[in-house]
């Protein structure tokens, strides 16, 4: 049976973390799982523990506390949650919790916001991504400035924009699974609803996930990649982690087996583009 | 006319002397005799001098990394060398019985040729003699440099160039060092040309470099007027000494058109040591001029701009029209920038996509 450990953090410097160690570890990289704005890491730990045994993978759940990282989901925002996660990875490696293998990364809601931004900033630091029901996204196009897109607006954001543009190919050149519950169409208080985002990204999480997937597929092809981006609508699921685990078989994609799945044929990806666009 | 008894024991005079930064690799136990033949002085010779009058340099950089205030009659150990500094002095490696000049606070003595209009006269020194070993051979800082090597270098090498002195090269180099170190890379920071000074190496250390070298480690107190082959060789030596690091950040002194820097950059075998260059400039027009020079004279296209101009948003806005990203020191020190630059180094084809 998997063992769950709690690794204390340092406020403002190092996030706390739950570490789930499988009873029998396989030679597979760890999975980093990032919580949403509700920071339900204890629930997520409980629901994911058995999957650590199924896959033989170590699962790490960092806790970006509300005081130190109130807007962690922006990754490279004012509170620099990205730096905090880099520090955590270094510490976990030095303490032997995880090895040197490149971890896969999954995020739920605000955690998915963080994960896709983090992976975009540090494409060589993480492997496969599973992005579940983020409220809003950073789009791989020039229709806005970071964190909405990778365009430029004033001298202060050109460095961020350059980083995104320079990393785009490496960011997209990986397995990315985008998931959202088919009932996740409520405009709840955690869903960003300012007019700009409503117009750019759509009115709810389902629409936004479809639009981002389509944009990512378009950007991948523009860059000459054969996209490995998959969109999955979870039947009978709303916006709750427990709900998605119980009804949507979220866990299989959230903490997948360690081996890299075979590359999806391009023709199928064309169909998927039609499906999501 | 040869004076037979030119050499006398150095011990009584060297005792209590202040040893300057550029002499830090010298094995002091080797110092036995004093050679009073100043006419034979060459670059790198170890010199014992006494402070006559305090001028521009009021402090000496000591070999242990501290400053020491200078007082008249202080005895100090220096290296005779040339100096090239647009906003201070130009000087040559020569010693005069009537007195010589403290050309650089890192411990360079020589003869001033010209000075910047806003700079005071140099601190004036009486030359007691050159320091020699037990055989009477004058000790030179090159005796203690790393042995020449053409060994392997770090996986990545980024050069930091500038439009001139005080363009912000060291700040940019330190920013890169910090960014890569925080990104989890082992970084070596190297200053390959210039005049010996602990300011640069201390800035690199403070930024988190795992290893720090400068040309004094290769046995030169100053690189001005030194043979280009020697500067090429010392760069290879210091890169080889950095081989166990993931990346080397290499700063070249002064502007790209400075005589030695220009010759190095024009050499394609020298340029081949580098994977990329960052250009530091105090303003957009200076950056434009340097980019033109680099393109036409050395076929170099830097991957980014930085430097003093990044303190001024208006200058940044103007520099951004030059088609390169402009990074402040703080942005270079961001591991997200390091992540991006590593990607460009390893996948250069993506630079055009960006």
């Amino acid at each position: 049976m998997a063992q769950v450990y709690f690794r204390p953090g340092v406020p403002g410097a190092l996030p706390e973390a739950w570490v789930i160690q499988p009873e029998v570890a396989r030679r597979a990289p760890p999975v980093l799982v990032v919580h949403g704005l509700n920071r339900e890491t204890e629930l997520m730990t409980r629901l994911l523990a058995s999957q650590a045994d199924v896959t033989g993978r170590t699962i790490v759940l960092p806790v970006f506390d509300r005081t130190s990282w109130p807007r962690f989901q922006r990754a490279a925002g004012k509170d620099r949650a990205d730096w905090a996660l880099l520090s955590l990875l270094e510490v976990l490696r030095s303490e032997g919790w995880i090895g040197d293998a490149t971890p896969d990364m999954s995020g739920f809601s605000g955690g998915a916001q963080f994960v896709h931004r983090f992976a975009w900033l540090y494409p060589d630091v993480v492997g496969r991504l599973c992005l579940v029901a983020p409220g809003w996204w950073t789009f791989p196009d020039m229709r806005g400035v970071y964190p909405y897109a990778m365009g430029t607006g004033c001298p202060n954001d050109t460095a961020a924009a350059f980083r995104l543009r320079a990393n785009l190919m490496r960011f997209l050149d990986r397995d990315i699974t985008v998931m959202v519950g088919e009932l996740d169409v409520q405009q709840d208080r955690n869903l960003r609803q300012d007019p700009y985002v409503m117009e750019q990204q759509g009115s709810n999480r389902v629409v936004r996930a479809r639009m981002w997937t389509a944009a990512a597929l378009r950007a991948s092809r523009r860059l000459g990649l054969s996209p490995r981006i998959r969109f999955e609508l979870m039947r009978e699921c709303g916006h709750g982690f427990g709900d998605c685990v119980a009804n949507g078989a979220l866990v299989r994609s959230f903490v997948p087996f360690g081996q890299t799945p075979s590359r999806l044929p391009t023709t199928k990806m064309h169909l998927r583009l039609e499906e999501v666009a | 006319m040869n004076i037979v008894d030119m050499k006398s024991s150095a011990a009584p005079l060297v005792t209590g002397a202040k040893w300057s930064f550029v002499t830090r690799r010298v094995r002091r136990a080797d110092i036995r005799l004093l050679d009073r033949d100043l006419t034979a002085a060459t670059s790198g010779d170890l010199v014992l001098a006494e402070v006559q009058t305090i001028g521009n340099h009021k402090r000496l950089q000591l070999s242990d990394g501290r400053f020491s205030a200078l007082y008249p009659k202080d005895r100090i150990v220096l290296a005779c060398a040339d100096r090239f500094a647009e906003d201070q002095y130009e000087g040559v490696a020569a010693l005069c019985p009537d007195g010589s000049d403290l050309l650089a606070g890192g411990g360079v003595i020589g003869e001033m040729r010209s000075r910047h209009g806003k700079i005071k006269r140099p601190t004036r020194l009486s030359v007691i003699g050159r320091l020699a070993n037990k055989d009477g051979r004058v000790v030179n800082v090159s005796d203690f440099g790393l042995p020449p090597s053409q060994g392997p270098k770090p996986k990545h090498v980024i050069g930091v160039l500038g439009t001139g002195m005080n363009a912000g090269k060291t700040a940019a180099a330190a920013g890169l060092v910090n960014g890569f170190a925080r990104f989890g890379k082992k970084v070596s920071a190297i200053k390959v040309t210039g005049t010996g000074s602990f300011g640069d190496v201390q800035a690199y250390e403070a930024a988190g470099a795992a290893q720090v070298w400068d040309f004094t480690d290769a046995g030169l107190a100053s690189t001005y007027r030194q043979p280009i082959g020697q500067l090429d060789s010392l760069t290879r030596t210091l890169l080889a000494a950095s081989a166990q690091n993931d990346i080397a950040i290499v700063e070249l002194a002064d502007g790209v058109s400075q005589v030695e820097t220009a010759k190095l950059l024009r050499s394609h075998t020298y340029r081949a040591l580098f994977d990329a260059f960052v250009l530091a400039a105090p303003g957009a027009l200076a950056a434009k001029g340097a980019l033109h020079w680099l393109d036409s004279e050395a076929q170099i296209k830097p991957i980014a701009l930085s430097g003093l101009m990044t303190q001024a948003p208006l200058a940044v806005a103007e520099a951004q029209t030059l088609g390169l990203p402009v990074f402040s020191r703080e942005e270079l020190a961001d591991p997200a920038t390091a992540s991006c630059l590593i990607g460009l180094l390893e996948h250069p084809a993506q630079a055009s996509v960006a």
Side-chain angles (χ1 to χ4, degrees):
Chain A
M1 192 175 161
Q3 296 292 312
V4 178
Y5 301 89
F6 180 74
R7 203 284 173 200
V10 178
L14 189 69
E16 301 169 338
W18 297 97
V19 181
I20 309 172
Q21 298 276 27
E23 185 168 6
V24 180
R26 296 190 189 144
R27 293 175 64 84
V31 182
L32 302 178
V33 169
V34 183
H35 56 73
L37 299 184
N38 292 336
R39 294 164 169 82
E40 298 176 314
T41 48
E42 291 184 35
L43 170 71
M44 295 174 85
T45 301
R46 201 163 59 244
L47 294 177
L48 294 175
S50 60
Q51 188 67 0
D53 275 338
V54 170
T55 60
R57 305 184 73 175
T58 297
I59 304 171
V60 176
L61 295 96
V63 185
F64 293 106
D65 68 70
R66 293 177 199 276
T67 306
S68 301
W69 297 283
R71 293 186 174 185
F72 74 94
Q73 70 274 18
R74 295 194 181 200
K78 193 177 174 186
D79 47 23
R80 296 310 300 249
D82 59 331
W83 295 355
L85 186 63
L86 290 177
S87 298
L88 179 64
L89 287 172
E90 185 184 356
V91 166
L92 293 176
R93 286 194 172 110
S94 68
E95 293 178 353
W97 293 102
I98 59 174
D100 291 331
T102 303
D104 292 337
M105 217 168 165
S106 300
F108 184 81
S109 190
Q113 285 192 49
F114 174 84
V115 167
H116 83 286
R117 291 179 183 128
F118 182 85
W120 201 336
L121 289 169
Y122 305 97
D124 297 331
V125 172
V126 295
R128 290 185 290 182
L129 304 181
C130 181
L131 310 170
V132 184
W136 58 289
W137 300 74
T138 297
F139 270 67
D141 57 40
M142 307 295 279
R143 292 182 301 156
V145 299
Y146 187 83
Y148 302 104
M150 56 182 200
T152 56
C154 63
N156 291 337
D157 56 40
T158 53
F162 176 79
R163 289 193 290 248
L164 294 181
R165 291 200 305 275
N167 291 350
L168 182 60
M169 185 184 282
R170 286 184 299 145
F171 166 58
L172 293 173
D173 191 15
R174 73 187 66 232
D175 295 298
I176 302 176
T177 302
V178 177
M179 301 175 81
V180 63
E182 66 173 349
L183 306 177
D184 196 352
V185 291
Q186 307 299 314
Q187 294 184 339
D188 57 65
R189 67 186 178 91
N190 282 338
L191 182 75
R192 197 175 177 92
Q193 296 178 49
D194 57 80
Y196 179 78
V197 172
M198 295 290 270
E199 185 185 338
Q200 183 208 18
Q201 306 195 6
S203 59
N204 61 58
R205 291 187 181 87
V206 173
V207 175
R208 292 176 186 183
R210 286 182 185 278
M211 288 184 69
W212 189 87
T213 306
L217 287 167
R218 279 195 300 272
S220 297
R221 293 207 182 86
R222 198 173 62 239
L223 296 170
L225 297 171
S226 294
R228 288 173 283 153
I229 303 167
R230 192 167 67 89
F231 177 83
E232 187 177 327
L233 198 63
M234 291 182 285
R235 304 294 171 200
E236 297 176 23
C237 291
H239 190 70
F241 188 74
D243 192 23
C244 292
V245 170
N247 302 330
L250 169 75
V251 169
R252 281 202 303 272
S253 296
F254 215 59
V255 183
F257 282 95
Q259 66 270 30
T260 307
S262 58
R263 189 169 284 209
L264 293 163
T266 308
T267 48
K268 264 203 160 180
M269 294 314 299
H270 279 124
L271 289 176
R272 289 182 189 284
L273 175 61
E274 303 305 319
E275 197 178 298
V276 298
Chain B
M1 180 177 72
N2 289 327
I3 300 173
V4 176
D5 188 23
M6 286 186 86
K7 296 183 174 68
S8 58
S9 172
L13 292 165
V14 170
T15 302
K18 296 174 177 177
W19 288 69
S20 63
F21 172 75
V22 299
T23 69
R24 73 191 192 287
R25 294 181 64 94
V26 172
R27 194 167 50 236
R28 296 184 189 181
D30 286 8
I31 306 302
R32 297 290 180 83
L33 299 171
L34 199 62
D35 185 321
R36 297 183 194 278
D37 180 8
L38 305 187
T39 59
T42 60
S43 184
D45 284 354
L46 221 57
V47 177
L48 180 65
E50 189 175 280
V51 176
Q52 271 180 14
T53 55
I54 305 293
N56 180 47
H57 288 103
K58 296 171 176 57
R59 300 185 299 178
L60 185 70
Q61 296 179 6
L62 298 182
S63 57
D64 64 3
R66 293 177 299 128
F67 275 113
S68 178
L70 287 174
Y71 295 90
K73 306 299 285 181
D74 271 354
R75 265 173 285 123
I76 56 181
V77 181
L78 313 137
C80 179
D82 304 295
R83 175 91 204 263
F84 179 97
E86 289 169 1
D87 64 2
Q88 285 207 8
Y89 306 120
E90 187 203 1
V92 294
L95 300 174
C96 178
D98 297 333
S100 293
D101 300 314
L102 181 58
L103 295 176
V108 170
I109 184 172
E111 187 178 300
M112 183 194 74
R113 286 280 171 85
S114 66
R115 66 185 161 107
H116 188 279
K118 291 187 176 176
I119 294 295
K120 289 182 180 176
R121 291 182 179 283
T123 290
R124 195 72 180 152
L125 307 171
S126 298
V127 182
I128 298 170
R130 294 183 296 160
L131 296 174
N133 64 14
K134 63 180 171 51
D135 301 324
R137 188 178 66 80
V138 171
V139 173
N140 192 288
V141 289
S142 63
D143 300 338
F144 300 93
L146 294 169
S149 172
Q150 302 258 339
K153 60 187 177 74
K155 183 178 179 188
H156 299 299
V157 180
I158 297 180
V160 178
L161 309 172
T163 56
M165 202 176 176
N166 297 329
K169 295 181 295 295
T170 301
L176 286 165
V177 168
N178 190 245
F180 282 109
R182 290 169 62 201
F183 188 51
K185 301 295 180 188
K186 277 186 73 180
V187 188
S188 177
I190 306 172
K191 178 95 183 264
V192 287
T193 57
T195 305
S197 164
F198 65 38
D200 297 333
V201 296
Q202 289 183 351
Y204 303 154
E205 282 170 359
Q211 207 169 30
V212 171
W213 302 105
D214 75 356
F215 46 88
T216 66
D217 291 300
L220 291 181
S222 162
T223 58
Y224 182 41
R225 304 205 312 162
Q226 296 303 304
I228 295 306
Q230 190 175 358
L231 303 186
D232 180 292
S233 170
L234 82 82
T235 304
R236 292 173 197 276
T237 297
L238 298 180
L239 284 172
S242 305
Q244 72 272 33
N245 294 279
D246 300 309
I247 186 163
I249 306 299
V250 180
E251 179 184 344
L252 282 83
D254 304 301
V256 292
S257 58
Q258 191 271 347
V259 56
E260 282 84 22
T261 303
K263 285 180 182 171
L264 287 170
L265 295 177
R266 283 191 182 109
S267 158
H268 74 274
T269 55
Y270 190 77
R271 292 195 303 271
L273 294 172
F274 297 84
D275 300 298
F277 291 93
V278 170
L279 176 68
L285 191 57
K288 189 173 184 177
L291 288 173
H292 176 73
W293 188 95
L294 286 168
D295 186 33
S296 60
E297 299 281 333
Q299 295 81 53
I300 289 174
K301 293 186 189 302
I303 57 169
L305 300 175
S306 186
L308 216 55
M309 64 181 173
T310 60
Q311 299 300 306
L314 288 173
V316 170
E318 191 179 340
Q320 280 166 348
T321 65
L322 300 174
L324 290 174
V326 183
F327 292 118
S328 66
R329 181 181 67 169
E330 291 72 24
E331 287 163 341
L332 289 173
D334 190 328
T337 303
S339 161
C340 162
L341 294 178
I342 283 281
L344 292 180
L345 296 181
E346 294 184 350
H347 311 280
Q350 293 183 14
S352 56
V353 172

